[in-house]
Amino acid sequence: MAKLIDGKAISAQIKAETALEVQELKDKGIIPGLAVVLVGNDPASQTYVNLKEKACAAAGIYSEKYALPANTHQDDLFDLVNRLNHKKEIHGILVQLPLPDDLDEESVIETIDPWKDVDAFHPSNVGRIMIGNYRFLPCTPAGIMEMLHREKIPVAGKKCVVVGRSNIVGKPMAMLLLHDNGTVTICHSKTKDLEEICRGADLLVAAVGKPKFITADMVKPGACVIDVGMDRDENGKLCGDVDFEPVSKLASYITPVPGGVGPMTIAMLLRNTVTAAKIQNAIPDRQKVC
């Protein structure tokens, strides 16, 4: 049976470390601040925002929440983001995605000051990730790298397969694995011989958004399997992109759903907010992933 990678336990460690850094900044008269903007009434987004708000309070991070109606005009959203860009108490800005269909996500992201872009979605930060000279990392891929490092799971020289090519997870995940000297293949809906490619992976990251998509016949015995999915199965039960029970009998390591990658995302958001506060106050940051 695979060893479970306990995202709850690892995220708790990171939150505790972050709280200590927050206190160190407060001793210098600096209170890290995060603004979260929520547009519309998407239940999942509301849940995520509430969790982020509670996590900030627990770590001692000052937070502001802006809940806007679904019919918010794009110019009004731009105005809010620009105000937050110039608000000294706010070091990090997060616009919760997805946005309502009539809003241009790309333009909104580009409006955020790159130095306050704690999601690391701004093109400037994406480019920095590409060349390895980054300020922030997207929270989910960064959290996965932390899990691998803290579990002492080697990446260098390993065959790494990422299933999914989203800007939020798949693409940056591939770059971080590459920076850690993995040999990386990105798979997607047009990939031929997907099963065979997955079977060759020493490290398999499933980020495709389809319940139980990765089955046991797609997994190499002894592989490390990271499940980014947060789906519902045919019975409405929470599950991931990996068919957990049979795959866990083959893998060496596996992340559960829930309790795996999910908790890491918020932990890394807190760390990014502290990093942003340090950068904006010219304080060296000792934290760096990969």
Side-chain angles (χ1 to χ4, degrees):
M1 290 291 292
K3 179 183 178 182
L4 290 182
I5 304 177
D6 190 342
K8 285 185 179 180
I10 297 173
S11 68
Q13 294 171 6
I14 294 171
K15 288 176 180 178
E17 293 163 3
T18 302
L20 290 175
E21 290 191 76
V22 170
Q23 188 56 55
E24 290 174 3
L25 288 175
K26 287 182 175 180
D27 291 343
K28 294 180 172 69
I30 300 164
I31 302 175
L34 173 69
V36 179
V37 180
L38 174 64
V39 185
N41 302 307
D42 180 73
S45 292
Q46 289 178 328
T47 298
Y48 294 145
V49 167
N50 290 337
L51 289 172
K52 290 166 184 175
E53 195 172 25
K54 291 177 182 177
C56 282
I61 292 173
Y62 169 70
S63 68
E64 296 180 354
K65 181 171 73 172
Y66 296 84
L68 307 179
N71 62 353
T72 296
H73 192 276
Q74 185 141 312
D75 287 343
D76 293 329
L77 183 53
F78 286 162
D79 288 343
L80 172 60
V81 171
N82 279 317
R83 290 201 304 274
L84 294 172
N85 283 340
H86 293 93
K87 191 169 185 178
K88 291 184 178 180
E89 299 88 349
I90 296 300
H91 302 100
I93 301 170
L94 184 154
V95 177
Q96 184 66 43
L97 303 179
L99 292 173
D101 291 340
D102 57 341
L103 295 176
D104 183 353
E105 287 186 359
E106 185 175 335
S107 296
V108 173
I109 290 169
E110 290 182 4
T111 304
I112 299 171
D113 181 346
W115 295 98
K116 295 189 176 187
D117 170 37
V118 288
D119 259 338
F121 294 162
H122 190 283
S124 172
N125 287 323
V126 173
R128 284 180 169 273
I129 293 165
M130 177 68 71
I131 64 174
N133 181 25
Y134 48 81
R135 297 178 285 235
F136 315 110
L137 294 174
C139 299
T140 299
I144 292 170
M145 296 305 297
E146 277 286 352
M147 296 171 93
L148 295 174
H149 291 165
R150 294 190 185 223
E151 288 287 341
K152 295 182 169 50
I153 298 170
V155 174
K158 301 297 182 180
K159 294 181 180 178
C160 306
V161 173
V162 180
V163 185
R165 56 176 169 180
S166 71
N167 291 332
I168 294 174
V169 180
K171 291 176 184 175
M173 186 75 252
M175 290 310 305
L176 296 191
L177 291 168
L178 184 62
H179 290 323
D180 218 16
N181 298 312
T183 300
V184 184
T185 301
I186 306 177
C187 296
H188 46 80
S189 60
K190 304 298 183 184
T191 299
K192 295 181 179 180
D193 302 320
L194 175 62
E195 294 82 1
E196 183 178 347
I197 294 171
C198 289
R199 276 195 298 271
D202 301 308
L203 172 60
L204 179 62
V205 180
V208 70
K210 295 183 179 180
K212 301 182 180 180
F213 180 80
I214 301 296
T215 53
D217 62 339
M218 299 170 69
V219 176
K220 174 183 178 180
C224 173
V225 180
I226 306 294
D227 191 349
V228 184
M230 190 67 72
D231 313 304
R232 296 282 176 179
D233 65 15
E234 62 277 6
N235 299 313
K237 184 180 178 181
L238 188 65
C239 68
D241 290 353
V242 175
D243 193 3
F244 182 84
E245 290 300 331
V247 171
S248 65
K249 295 175 182 177
L250 286 173
S252 58
Y253 290 87
I254 192 168
T255 58
V257 176
V261 173
M264 296 297 298
T265 300
I266 292 178
M268 300 312 295
L269 171 65
L270 301 181
R271 175 180 286 181
N272 280 354
T273 302
V274 171
T275 296
K278 289 182 176 182
I279 290 172
Q280 291 163 47
N281 286 278
I283 298 172
D285 183 30
R286 64 174 178 266
Q287 298 283 2
K288 187 159 183 175
V289 178
C290 107

